[in-house]
Amino acid sequence: MIRLALGVELRGLLRSPLRLLFLIVVLVVGWVVIGQGQADVERWQMAIQEGEAAQSESIEEARSWFSEGVTGPADRPWINLTQAHYQDYFAATRISRLPAPLAGIAFASAEHGAVTMRLNRFADPLVAHGSEIENPALDAAGGLDLVTVLSLLIPLLVLALGVELGGYERSSGLLSLVRVQSGRDSAWIWARCLAVGLIVTVVALALCGLAVSKGGVTLGDGAPLFSLVVIYVGVWTALLALVASISRDPSHGAVLLGGAWILLCVIIPSLAVEQSAALAADDFALDLTVEARGERGATYDLSESDLYAAVYERFPDLRAVEPDPRNAGVRYARDGVRFAGLEERMRGRHALASSQSDLVSMMACASPTLALTHALEGLAGRGPAAAQAFRESAVAAIGDRTERVIRADWGPDSLGAEHFESLIEASPGAVALPPFGVQRELLILGGWLLGLLFLAASRTQRA
Amino acid sequence: MGSIFWNEWRGLLRDGRGRLVFGLGVLLAALSAWASAATFAAQEAAQAAAVDTARCAWDEREGDSPHSRAHFGDYVFRPSGVMSALDPGLQAVTGRVVFTEAHRQNDAMHHPQQAASGLLRFDRLEPSSVLQVLAALVIVLAGFGVVSAERESGRLKLLQVQGVKPWQLLLGKAAALWSIGLAICFVVVGANVLLVEGMDLGRVLVFFLTHALLLWVVAALVTCVSAGAKRSGTSAAVLLSFWVAGAIILPRLAAMSASALDPLPGRDAFQAAMQEDREKGLDGHNPLDERRKKLEQEILAEYGVQTRAELPVRLGGLIMQADDEYGAKVWDKHFGELEEHLLRQDAFAGKFSFVNPFQAVDRLSMAISGTGLSSHLEFLRQTEDYRRELVRRLNEEDAYGVELNAEGRLQRTTTQDFFLSFKSFEYSPLGLNELVGRQEADLLALSLWVLGATAALALTSRGMAGGIVS
């Protein structure tokens, strides 16, 4: 029966210019946004390359002074590369966030975290800007990328292809005819739903396949994307089957399907955004701004013993190279205390952000669209978790750099080219973020699928 | 016509589906007004507290020279503006905090909702969205069968036999649908006026009228489509497609097209270009800088002395001010170009208003509420003016706030009162006329939509009278 239903749906599709047009629109928009996504990934990589070029200029400049046997340039005599401070300044390597293989699919994400930042002991990844200048007027529109196409347009395609399903058979009396002829009227409705689902799955998988091939991703790495999309189409197909089992006529079906789409794709996400705005209402980042500035200033008020105690609490290994006299190392000790403050702020921010992430997790259960969006942004490495992971890597690298610089200053040796090179070598460079696990979202979507299938089946049995 | 109007309302309230749609619409409207007012109040309180904290840090600091105070800087926290309770506009995607300091202009930073970036793809359930998106949807759902159902049931012919003229029928039905939207509009706007203190009633009225016009466009189009459709199913499909395209797809497509066709420069490239121009000026912190030396000679000549030590003012303050003035020119040039670019992109996206009434009203709504792009750019401009004035006063105090002591050397006369005399940043929002005046294209587009929808209604009724639409 499924082959028969598939034939009917394909013929129906070819005969209906509106449906065919909608399918073509989805494919064309999908193709365009995949291209745009790829261009965005190239801009991302370009930003990293520009950062690395600026870094190598600074490093080469310092190397040239070493090779000339001087400690700095003639026109800036205060620069002295035998001091740890200037070594840190000129070895300001970049720490970069490599784009995830599927980064292009979510290029319209509102997450604009930094992709590359200068690494020295004064860097503050918590207030670093992204590599792109954004136009807020365009950002506020919500963005159109493959994530939007898959989460909003694909369900609409299911609706467009199956809007009359069930209702048409019932209102025209066809269903009774099928029942009389084969006694399997519900099987016919299910077969038609499945046929619609198959057509939409092929369209969605074609778009995902294109995104995977453009992103140079292996099929294995693309498997989570394919799985999510197949289950998501399954959810909407099951919803179609449920509506088909109860719709009295095409008009009734259209309203029910339209209502379901609006509820799941617009109203529930809107409630979530409203809740998110309420959570963020009182956050004016005082911890990252006024208080951070105050903490930095307060390091000058600490007594020498308190200062060293605070440094050793964070960097216990530095006890071994404590300078003699102690006051010779005070300047760099303050950097150690400032870094401890940065780490503290990062932990505080993490706790604050977790209320937002809990909200997203909770709302993802209430709408398959939110679950899919969250999973795809995560797969693309564009979500808050990716930005947070990069900030954590950057802060860890700054901690390492700070310890090295303090050790260099406090140590007995005079600093030379080998110290400078060791600073560069110890910098992490590019950071590839850990892969995002989509198990939770797969479970949520699977739950929706099973729940809707159960409802549709029980409804059909009752009918 | 009056009886047709009231009949529609009776039909809506009698039908379970109609009651559900209308009830949900009103409930969401009330919920959104309450939630938005609560968020606005929390935001205002937090912003005031942040300003106080920054002010305390400024006031309590002691022992600074004016120059070190210029590096200490001040923080500006973006105020939301009272109308943001109705339409927060771009505020979720613009930074809230700007650090103002000597020698450099910093970008607005901190978008707290980025921690839930996946959600920002969707619209907030703010009052303006309820009116532009949900009220329009309620009209669509309540009205897709407003004429086609009459036709399907045969009542249309009965009405014609009874002498009801097509224009009376369509106008009555359209007015009934419009009044449903207006009822939601009243709930949203009325609740906000009651819940939020200090609402600008003039702006509220313009906000209401703008949304009322959009709802008229929707009501008229719904009536026309329903009158033209042979079946209610077709009418529902066409109208829901129109709603999805206008409210969800086209705004995103407009933004993507503007960004793809006229991309902005990368942040690094922008800053590198600015840095390059900045380096052509003097470097106030580099005593070997040639331009600095030249300026020093000019100042010495102006005071008729040979050496710095003979100057009755601190040379550093004058040089820093010259450095900052040059930096300001560089910023004006580059930020001016960037601002033009942003406005050009926005204007391109705005062209979609001629094919999408939702977008025209969305843009007008943000302008009326003072939360659109123009207001954001104005905030940045005023912040920069504040920074310049702050730094100028500090540099001048650094230069002139000195006197010769008994040993003939300069000593500072700056007191704590001088620092206490600084006031926190205060944003002066642009006037309604100026903001709306900048949205000429959107005003024109909305006017054309209102005229077009009304004309479509007239043509449809004429078609019905002539039997073309029957």
Side-chain angles (χ1 to χ4, degrees):
Chain A
M1 192 173 270
I2 178 68
R3 192 180 295 176
L4 191 65
L6 194 57
V8 168
E9 292 308 324
L10 284 173
R11 275 197 298 279
L13 179 64
L14 291 174
R15 278 188 203 135
S16 164
L18 268 179
R19 289 177 191 180
L20 196 60
L21 180 70
F22 191 75
L23 190 142
I24 292 169
V25 165
V26 171
L27 281 171
V28 170
V29 171
W31 178 69
V32 170
V33 296
I34 288 168
Q36 288 295 318
Q38 212 43 45
D40 185 74
V41 172
E42 280 160 20
R43 281 197 295 276
W44 181 330
Q45 281 160 341
M46 187 72 79
I48 293 177
Q49 282 167 14
E50 281 169 4
E52 282 169 356
Q55 156 201 326
S56 57
E57 271 175 33
S58 156
I59 292 171
E60 289 310 321
E61 200 177 12
R63 280 179 180 152
S64 71
W65 297 326
F66 279 122
S67 62
E68 287 166 19
V70 294
T71 59
D75 60 342
R76 285 166 286 167
W78 59 88
I79 293 174
N80 183 350
L81 278 174
T82 61
Q83 290 177 12
H85 169 74
Y86 288 106
Q87 289 221 340
D88 178 34
Y89 183 83
F90 282 92
T93 50
R94 297 278 173 142
I95 180 164
S96 302
R97 170 179 163 189
L98 289 175
L102 287 169
I105 66 171
F107 76 92
S109 167
E111 188 269 298
H112 299 299
V115 299
T116 178
M117 62 178 88
R118 211 178 152 107
L119 176 60
N120 60 32
R121 66 194 197 286
F122 301 115
D124 187 347
L126 304 185
V127 293
H129 286 281
S131 63
E132 288 181 12
I133 296 174
E134 299 96 27
N135 186 338
L138 306 185
D139 273 7
L144 184 61
D145 52 16
L146 192 63
V147 174
T148 313
V149 171
L150 294 173
S151 59
L152 297 183
L153 292 190
I154 288 294
L156 277 178
L157 187 60
V158 174
L159 267 57
L161 299 187
V163 69
E164 293 192 338
L165 225 150
Y168 171 70
E169 276 89 347
R170 250 177 229 106
S171 62
S172 61
L174 265 178
L175 207 57
S176 320
L177 206 63
V178 175
R179 194 179 300 141
V180 170
Q181 285 184 343
S182 67
R184 295 162 65 195
D185 57 330
S186 59
W188 172 244
I189 301 283
W190 277 96
R192 281 196 66 189
C193 289
L194 202 58
V196 168
L198 277 176
I199 295 171
V200 178
T201 304
V202 169
V203 171
L205 287 180
L207 290 175
C208 293
L210 186 61
V212 162
S213 93
K214 284 242 180 191
V217 183
T218 61
L219 280 178
D221 287 341
L225 172 67
F226 294 122
S227 320
L228 283 163
V229 168
V230 168
I231 299 181
Y232 187 63
V233 175
V235 168
W236 285 94
T237 308
L239 189 70
L240 178 68
L242 176 64
V243 170
S245 69
I246 53 180
S247 67
R248 294 188 295 271
D249 51 58
S251 151
H252 189 217
V255 171
L256 287 178
L257 283 171
W261 185 87
I262 288 156
L263 183 72
L264 297 175
C265 297
V266 180
I267 294 180
I268 292 176
S270 293
L271 287 169
V273 188
E274 190 62 47
Q275 187 62 25
S276 155
L279 282 176
D282 58 358
D283 181 7
F284 276 85
L286 284 172
D287 54 337
L288 304 182
T289 54
V290 183
E291 288 166 13
R293 183 183 60 180
E295 274 174 23
R296 284 193 291 269
T299 56
Y300 290 92
D301 302 330
L302 285 175
S303 67
E304 199 175 273
S305 58
D306 287 347
L307 191 63
Y308 274 89
V311 173
Y312 293 150
E313 193 181 336
R314 173 59 187 83
F315 301 107
D317 293 348
L318 287 176
R319 279 180 200 278
V321 287
E322 184 176 292
D324 186 23
R326 265 187 148 194
N327 63 11
V330 161
R331 178 183 172 194
Y332 289 87
R334 285 194 195 108
D335 295 336
V337 177
R338 281 186 208 123
F339 173 75
L342 173 68
E343 268 188 329
E344 192 60 38
R345 289 198 293 282
M346 186 182 68
R347 281 192 285 271
R349 270 289 129 189
H350 194 55
L352 264 179
S354 68
S355 56
Q356 290 277 1
S357 108
D358 291 347
L359 170 73
V360 176
S361 300
M362 189 182 75
M363 295 308 288
C365 299
S367 160
T369 305
L370 278 180
L372 181 80
T373 305
H374 182 55
L376 294 186
E377 284 219 341
L379 273 182
R382 301 267 194 176
Q388 175 71 18
F390 179 58
R391 276 194 292 271
E392 282 172 9
S393 302
V395 168
I398 293 165
D400 181 60
R401 170 64 71 93
T402 304
E403 186 169 4
R404 283 171 184 278
V405 171
I406 297 174
R407 187 183 294 278
D409 180 67
W410 288 2
D413 306 331
S414 67
L415 303 182
E418 69 287 356
H419 288 95
F420 183 70
E421 295 300 334
S422 71
L423 269 188
I424 296 165
E425 274 167 32
S427 305
V431 178
L433 301 173
F436 180 83
V438 294
Q439 296 88 338
R440 188 174 179 278
E441 285 73 21
L442 280 172
L443 273 177
I444 292 173
L445 290 175
W448 271 90
L449 176 61
L450 292 176
L452 286 167
L453 283 176
F454 174 75
L455 278 176
S458 59
R459 179 73 211 179
T460 311
Q461 254 180 357
R462 242 188 292 163
Chain B
M1 201 173 77
S3 59
I4 294 169
F5 177 89
W6 291 116
N7 253 338
E8 272 315 306
W9 266 100
R10 269 195 292 274
L12 177 81
L13 297 175
R14 209 178 291 145
D15 176 32
R17 211 165 56 195
R19 276 203 303 272
L20 181 73
V21 168
F22 182 64
L24 267 180
V26 172
L27 183 72
L28 282 172
L31 187 72
S32 127
W34 173 76
S36 182
T39 302
F40 170 74
Q43 203 160 309
E44 284 293 281
Q47 194 260 357
V51 171
D52 278 352
T53 308
R55 186 55 20 194
C56 281
W58 175 276
D59 289 346
E60 286 168 5
R61 195 170 163 85
E62 287 177 354
D64 270 347
S65 70
H67 185 65
S68 54
R69 187 59 75 98
H71 279 290
F72 178 75
D74 193 18
Y75 285 97
V76 165
F77 299 93
R78 188 198 64 206
S80 352
V82 71
M83 287 293 289
S84 71
L86 279 172
D87 190 344
L90 311 180
Q91 293 186 348
V93 290
T94 51
R96 285 182 170 182
V97 189
V98 185
F99 181 46
T100 55
E101 60 177 326
H103 313 318
R104 56 182 297 175
Q105 294 85 359
N106 295 298
D107 290 336
M109 61 178 179
H110 191 56
H111 315 60
Q113 276 185 270
Q114 273 202 2
S117 61
L119 295 178
L120 292 180
R121 293 173 167 275
F122 304 94
D123 278 335
R124 219 182 118 177
L125 192 71
E126 64 215 20
S128 56
S129 296
V130 167
L131 297 181
Q132 290 155 28
V133 179
L134 286 182
L137 180 67
V138 168
I139 293 178
V140 166
L141 291 177
F144 70 89
V146 75
V147 182
S148 56
E150 304 275 23
R151 184 181 293 116
E152 282 166 340
S153 65
R155 281 198 302 271
L156 192 61
K157 289 227 181 304
L158 201 66
L159 286 167
Q160 282 171 337
V161 169
Q162 284 175 340
V164 176
K165 293 191 170 59
W167 71 265
Q168 289 175 320
L169 179 79
L170 294 193
L171 197 59
K173 300 256 184 199
L177 291 178
W178 189 33
S179 66
I180 293 170
L182 288 181
I184 295 175
C185 214
F186 270 117
V187 171
V188 168
V189 175
N192 267 284
V193 170
L194 290 176
L195 292 170
V196 179
E197 272 181 41
M199 274 279 181
D200 179 341
L201 291 180
R203 284 189 192 231
V204 171
L205 183 66
V206 180
F207 179 88
F208 183 90
L209 288 175
T210 308
H211 287 86
L213 287 175
L214 171 71
L215 296 175
W216 167 251
V217 171
V218 175
L221 291 179
V222 167
T223 311
C224 289
V225 171
S226 183
K230 286 200 168 60
R231 286 189 299 166
S232 295
T234 313
S235 167
V238 170
L239 287 168
L240 283 175
S241 306
F242 165 73
W243 180 83
V244 168
I248 313 289
I249 309 296
L250 281 174
R252 288 172 162 79
L253 189 66
M256 192 196 77
S257 312
S259 168
L261 294 173
D262 189 9
L264 287 167
R267 195 179 293 276
D268 279 350
F270 179 76
Q271 281 172 350
M274 210 151 126
Q275 186 61 29
E276 198 182 325
D277 278 353
R278 193 75 165 82
E279 281 167 4
K280 290 176 190 159
L282 58 85
D283 179 354
H285 282 288
N286 183 355
L288 300 183
D289 182 69
E290 285 305 320
R291 289 173 214 86
R292 183 188 152 126
K293 282 183 184 166
K294 192 169 167 251
L295 178 67
E296 197 175 317
Q297 291 308 316
E298 284 170 13
I299 294 169
L300 293 176
E302 189 184 326
Y303 281 91
V305 294
Q306 298 297 313
T307 63
R308 292 177 67 163
E310 295 170 76
L311 277 172
V313 295
R314 273 199 77 249
L315 183 66
L318 296 176
I319 287 174
M320 290 299 168
Q321 182 54 26
D323 184 359
D324 268 303
E325 280 170 13
Y326 185 80
K329 278 184 196 158
V330 172
W331 190 84
D332 284 343
K333 178 188 164 211
H334 288 272
F335 186 76
E337 286 168 4
L338 180 65
E339 188 178 304
E340 270 176 30
H341 201 151
L342 294 172
L343 290 170
R344 202 164 61 232
Q345 281 190 330
D346 186 49
F348 179 86
K351 287 182 182 151
F352 279 69
S353 296
F354 289 96
V355 292
N356 182 12
F358 294 98
Q359 210 167 324
V361 171
D362 183 35
R363 293 161 60 82
L364 282 169
S365 168
M366 286 193 283
I368 294 162
S369 305
T371 54
L373 184 62
S374 295
S375 293
H376 174 63
L377 295 174
E378 179 63 22
F379 164 70
L380 294 181
R381 216 173 290 123
Q382 288 187 23
T383 303
E384 171 59 9
D385 290 345
Y386 171 76
R387 188 196 73 82
R388 286 181 195 178
E389 180 59 13
L390 180 95
V391 172
R392 184 193 63 76
R393 282 187 64 193
L394 289 166
N395 281 338
E396 285 185 358
E397 181 64 18
D398 196 39
Y400 303 114
V402 288
E403 63 183 14
L404 284 171
N405 63 14
E407 294 153 9
R409 303 178 74 167
L410 288 178
Q411 70 175 29
R412 294 192 187 283
T413 55
T414 307
T415 62
Q416 185 66 2
D417 285 344
F418 169 72
F419 294 118
L420 293 177
S421 70
F422 283 80
K423 298 269 181 290
S424 293
F425 170 79
E426 272 186 34
Y427 175 59
S428 312
L430 291 171
L432 180 62
N433 289 343
E434 194 170 355
L435 282 169
V436 176
R438 292 180 189 184
Q439 305 295 132
E440 278 173 0
D442 299 304
L443 278 173
L444 178 65
L446 181 61
S447 309
L448 289 175
W449 272 101
V450 172
L451 288 173
T454 312
L457 202 62
L459 287 174
T460 308
S461 68
R462 192 180 285 182
M464 281 176 81
I468 301 164
V469 179
S470 59

